[in-house]
Amino acid sequence: MERQIIEIDEDLCNGCGLCIPGCHEGALKIIDGKARLVGDTLCDGLGACLGDCPQGALRVVKREAEAFREEHTLQQWPVQWNLVPVQAPFLDEADLLLCADCVPFAYADFHQKLLAGRVLLVGCPKFDNVTAYTEKLLRIFETRTIRSVTVAKMEVPCCSGIAGLTKRALAASGKVIPYAEITISVEGRVLPQF
C-alpha cells in the first residue's frame, strides 16, 4: 500500500539519537552510527520524531510500505513507573496496564494480549519504592481521566504488592474506575481469577 512513512537522509544524519525518544512506536534505532527505520510496520508516518532532529535528516514521504500495525507496538515512552510523569499527555483517556516487571518475560503473548491499546507502567513491587508508586498512582487517578486499570502480575507472593497498591490508590482517589487483574504463572500461562 502507498502511505506516509519516515525517510532518513543518511548524508545529513550524524547518529546523535535525538529522534529516538520522539518515536513512540520504536520504529527508529541507531545502527552503525546512523538513525535507521527498523520496520515499515512500526512507523505510523505521523512524524513525531521530525522536530527532534537537529540535522534535518528526517522527513515524511509517501511511498509503498507495509501497513502500520499499532496493535503490536508500545504506545508511549517512558514505561518505568518512576519515570512516567503524572502530566504525560498519553495518560489522558488511558486504559492503564500496571505491570510487574517480570510479566513481559514470562508471558510470550504479552504484546498482543496485554499491551495492545494500553498505556504501560512497569515496576517491581518487591525491590522498588511501593509508597512512591502508590502516591504517583493516586495523583494520576486524581488529576487524569483514566478509562480502566488492569494489573498484570506474576503468581509469586511478592507480586501481590502491585495489586494492593493499585487498590489503595483507587480507594483513596474516590473514583470508580473499572479494574481487572491478570496473574501469570511462572510457566507463562494466564491463571484463572477466583
Side-chain angles (χ1 to χ4, degrees), residues 67-90:
F68 171 59
R69 292 191 321 194
E70 183 174 7
E71 72 275 4
H72 299 290
T73 62
L74 185 61
Q75 300 299 306
Q76 98 281 348
W77 193 261
V79 298
Q80 212 294 326
W81 208 311
N82 288 322
L83 300 177
V84 173
V86 171
Q87 69 276 13
F90 53 76

Side-chain angles (χ1 to χ4, degrees), residues 138 142 169-176:
L138 174 58
E142 289 176 335
L170 269 172
S173 76
K175 292 192 175 177
V176 177

Side-chain angles (χ1 to χ4, degrees), residues 84-103:
V84 173
V86 171
Q87 69 276 13
F90 53 76
L91 291 171
D92 289 327
E93 298 295 322
D95 292 303
L96 280 183
L97 175 60
L98 307 175
C99 184
D101 59 5
C102 294
V103 170

Side-chain angles (χ1 to χ4, degrees), residues 12 23 39-40 49 55 61 64 79 106 133 158 167 176 179:
L12 294 177
C23 179
D40 287 358
C49 56
Q55 304 301 317
V61 298
E64 284 292 319
V79 298
Y133 281 178
C158 59
K167 290 175 184 175
V176 177
Y179 173 87

Side-chain angles (χ1 to χ4, degrees), residues 151-153 163 167 179-184 189-194:
V151 170
K153 62 186 181 66
K167 290 175 184 175
Y179 173 87
E181 221 171 274
I182 298 168
T183 304
I184 306 297
R189 294 178 286 107
V190 175
L191 296 177
Q193 298 298 312
F194 300 103

Side-chain angles (χ1 to χ4, degrees), residues 117-158:
R118 293 188 173 108
V119 169
L120 176 65
L121 274 69
V122 64
C124 178
K126 182 175 182 176
F127 293 114
D128 295 345
N129 184 336
V130 174
T131 302
Y133 281 178
T134 307
E135 291 169 3
K136 179 176 272 190
L137 198 52
L138 174 58
R139 288 195 319 271
I140 289 170
F141 291 152
E142 289 176 335
T143 62
R144 309 318 290 267
T145 304
I146 303 299
R147 289 190 303 224
S148 69
V149 177
T150 302
V151 170
K153 62 186 181 66
M154 298 296 297
E155 70 177 325
V156 295
C158 59

